[in-house]
Coordinates of all heavy atoms in Angstrom, one line a residue:
N1 N -9.8 -7.5 6.7 CA -9.2 -8.7 6.3 C -8.0 -8.9 7.2 O -7.0 -8.2 6.9 CB -8.8 -8.7 4.8 CG -8.0 -9.8 4.3 OD1 -7.7 -10.8 5.1 ND2 -7.6 -9.9 3.1
P2 N -8.0 -9.8 8.1 CA -6.9 -10.1 9.0 C -5.6 -10.5 8.4 O -4.5 -10.4 8.9 CB -7.4 -11.1 10.0 CG -8.5 -11.9 9.2 CD -9.1 -10.9 8.3
T3 N -5.7 -11.0 7.2 CA -4.4 -11.5 6.5 C -3.6 -10.4 5.8 O -2.5 -10.6 5.3 CB -4.7 -12.7 5.6 OG1 -5.5 -12.2 4.5 CG2 -5.4 -13.8 6.3
F4 N -4.3 -9.2 5.6 CA -3.6 -8.1 4.8 C -2.7 -7.4 5.7 O -3.0 -7.0 6.8 CB -4.6 -7.2 4.1 CG -4.0 -6.3 3.2 CD1 -3.2 -6.6 2.1 CD2 -4.1 -4.9 3.5 CE1 -2.6 -5.7 1.3 CE2 -3.5 -4.0 2.6 CZ -2.8 -4.4 1.6
I5 N -1.5 -7.1 5.2 CA -0.4 -6.5 6.0 C -0.8 -5.1 6.7 O -0.4 -4.9 7.9 CB 0.9 -6.3 5.2 CG1 2.1 -6.2 6.1 CG2 0.7 -5.3 4.1 CD1 2.5 -7.3 6.9
L6 N -1.6 -4.3 6.1 CA -2.0 -3.0 6.7 C -2.8 -3.3 7.9 O -3.0 -2.3 8.7 CB -2.6 -2.1 5.7 CG -1.7 -1.2 5.0 CD1 -0.7 -1.9 4.1 CD2 -2.5 -0.1 4.2
N7 N -3.4 -4.5 8.0 CA -4.3 -4.8 9.2 C -3.5 -5.5 10.3 O -4.1 -6.0 11.3 CB -5.5 -5.6 8.7 CG -6.4 -4.8 7.8 OD1 -6.5 -3.6 8.0 ND2 -7.2 -5.4 7.0
N8 N -2.3 -5.7 10.1 CA -1.4 -6.4 11.0 C -0.9 -5.4 12.0 O 0.0 -4.5 11.6 CB -0.3 -7.2 10.3 CG 0.6 -8.0 11.2 OD1 0.7 -7.7 12.4 ND2 1.2 -9.1 10.7
S9 N -1.3 -5.4 13.2 CA -0.8 -4.4 14.2 C 0.6 -4.4 14.5 O 1.2 -3.5 15.1 CB -1.7 -4.5 15.5 OG -1.5 -5.7 16.0
D10 N 1.3 -5.4 14.1 CA 2.8 -5.5 14.4 C 3.6 -4.6 13.5 O 4.6 -4.2 13.7 CB 3.4 -7.0 14.1 CG 2.8 -8.0 15.0 OD1 2.4 -7.6 16.1 OD2 2.9 -9.2 14.8
Y11 N 2.9 -4.2 12.4 CA 3.5 -3.3 11.4 C 2.9 -2.0 11.4 O 1.7 -1.9 11.3 CB 3.6 -3.9 10.0 CG 4.4 -5.1 9.9 CD1 3.8 -6.4 10.0 CD2 5.8 -5.1 9.7 CE1 4.6 -7.5 9.9 CE2 6.5 -6.2 9.6 CZ 5.9 -7.4 9.7 OH 6.7 -8.5 9.6
N12 N 3.7 -0.9 11.4 CA 3.2 0.4 11.1 C 4.4 1.4 10.7 O 5.5 0.9 10.6 CB 2.6 1.0 12.4 CG 3.5 1.0 13.6 OD1 4.5 1.7 13.6 ND2 3.2 0.2 14.6
G13 N 4.0 2.6 10.3 CA 5.1 3.5 9.9 C 4.6 4.2 8.7 O 3.6 4.0 8.2
S14 N 5.5 5.2 8.3 CA 5.1 6.0 7.2 C 5.9 5.7 5.9 O 5.9 6.4 5.0 CB 5.3 7.5 7.5 OG 6.6 7.8 8.0
I15 N 6.5 4.4 5.9 CA 7.2 3.9 4.7 C 6.5 2.6 4.3 O 6.4 1.7 5.2 CB 8.7 3.7 5.1 CG1 9.4 5.0 5.5 CG2 9.4 3.1 3.8 CD1 10.9 4.9 5.9
L16 N 6.3 2.6 3.1 CA 5.7 1.3 2.5 C 6.8 0.7 1.6 O 7.3 1.3 0.7 CB 4.5 1.6 1.6 CG 3.8 0.3 1.0 CD1 3.3 -0.6 2.0 CD2 2.7 0.8 -0.1
V17 N 7.2 -0.6 1.9 CA 8.2 -1.3 1.1 C 7.4 -2.3 0.3 O 6.8 -3.2 0.8 CB 9.2 -1.9 2.0 CG1 10.2 -2.8 1.1 CG2 10.0 -0.9 2.9
A18 N 7.4 -2.0 -1.0 CA 6.5 -2.8 -1.9 C 7.4 -3.6 -2.9 O 8.5 -3.4 -3.1 CB 5.6 -1.9 -2.7
G19 N 6.6 -4.6 -3.5 CA 7.3 -5.4 -4.5 C 7.6 -4.6 -5.8 O 7.4 -3.4 -5.9
D20 N 8.1 -5.3 -6.8 CA 8.6 -4.7 -8.1 C 7.4 -4.2 -8.8 O 6.3 -4.7 -8.7 CB 9.3 -5.7 -8.9 CG 9.9 -5.2 -10.1 OD1 10.7 -4.2 -10.1 OD2 9.6 -5.7 -11.2
N21 N 7.6 -3.1 -9.6 CA 6.6 -2.5 -10.6 C 5.4 -2.0 -9.8 O 4.2 -2.3 -10.1 CB 6.2 -3.6 -11.6 CG 5.5 -2.9 -12.7 OD1 5.6 -1.8 -13.1 ND2 4.6 -3.7 -13.4
F22 N 5.6 -1.1 -8.9 CA 4.6 -0.6 -8.1 C 3.9 0.7 -8.8 O 4.6 1.4 -9.4 CB 5.1 0.0 -6.8 CG 4.1 0.4 -5.8 CD1 3.4 -0.5 -5.0 CD2 3.7 1.7 -5.7 CE1 2.4 -0.1 -4.1 CE2 2.7 2.2 -4.8 CZ 2.1 1.3 -4.0
G23 N 2.7 0.7 -8.8 CA 1.9 1.9 -9.4 C 1.7 1.7 -11.0 O 1.4 2.7 -11.6
C24 N 1.7 0.4 -11.4 CA 1.4 0.2 -12.8 C -0.1 0.4 -13.1 O -0.8 0.6 -12.2 CB 2.0 -1.1 -13.3 SG 1.2 -2.5 -12.3
G25 N -0.5 0.3 -14.3 CA -1.9 0.3 -14.7 C -2.3 1.7 -15.1 O -1.5 2.5 -15.6
S26 N -3.5 2.0 -14.9 CA -4.0 3.3 -15.3 C -3.4 4.5 -14.6 O -3.0 4.3 -13.4 CB -5.6 3.4 -15.3 OG -6.0 3.2 -13.9
S27 N -3.4 5.7 -15.3 CA -2.7 6.9 -14.8 C -3.7 7.6 -13.9 O -4.5 8.4 -14.4 CB -2.1 7.7 -15.8 OG -3.1 8.1 -16.7
R28 N -3.8 7.4 -12.6 CA -4.7 8.1 -11.7 C -3.9 8.7 -10.6 O -3.3 8.1 -9.9 CB -5.8 7.2 -11.3 CG -5.4 6.0 -10.5 CD -6.6 5.2 -10.1 NE -7.2 4.6 -11.2 CZ -8.0 3.5 -11.2 NH1 -8.2 2.9 -10.0 NH2 -8.6 3.0 -12.2
E29 N -4.0 10.1 -10.5 CA -3.4 10.8 -9.4 C -3.9 10.3 -8.0 O -3.3 10.5 -7.1 CB -3.5 12.3 -9.7 CG -2.7 13.1 -8.7 CD -2.7 14.6 -9.1 OE1 -3.6 15.0 -9.8 OE2 -1.7 15.3 -8.6
H30 N -5.2 9.9 -8.1 CA -5.9 9.5 -6.8 C -5.1 8.5 -6.1 O -5.2 8.3 -4.8 CB -7.2 8.9 -7.3 CG -8.1 9.9 -8.0 ND1 -7.9 10.1 -9.3 CD2 -9.1 10.7 -7.6 CE1 -8.8 11.0 -9.7 NE2 -9.6 11.4 -8.7
A31 N -4.2 7.6 -6.8 CA -3.5 6.6 -6.1 C -2.5 7.3 -5.2 O -2.3 6.8 -4.0 CB -2.8 5.7 -7.1
A32 N -1.8 8.3 -5.6 CA -0.9 9.0 -4.8 C -1.7 9.7 -3.7 O -1.2 9.7 -2.4 CB -0.1 10.0 -5.5
W33 N -2.9 10.3 -4.0 CA -3.7 10.9 -2.9 C -4.0 9.9 -1.9 O -3.9 10.2 -0.6 CB -5.0 11.4 -3.5 CG -4.8 12.5 -4.5 CD1 -3.7 13.2 -4.9 CD2 -6.0 13.2 -5.1 NE1 -4.1 14.2 -5.8 CE2 -5.4 14.2 -5.9 CE3 -7.3 13.0 -5.1 CZ2 -6.2 15.0 -6.7 CZ3 -8.1 13.8 -5.9 CH2 -7.5 14.8 -6.7

């Protein structure tokens, strides 16, 4: 999907700056993995 930020070659790095309330929903350790 060319519109999604992880597919934008202008951006890279090992830090994700996300919006408010990140990681909500079901409790799955797989998200961290």
Side-chain angles (χ1 to χ4, degrees):
N1 173 0
T3 65
F4 187 60
I5 195 69
L6 266 65
N7 295 331
N8 183 335
S9 60
D10 292 341
Y11 294 98
N12 59 62
S14 54
I15 300 174
L16 180 67
V17 178
D20 185 56
N21 195 26
F22 189 85
C24 56
S26 61
S27 57
R28 56 180 70 155
E29 190 173 19
H30 304 76
W33 293 0

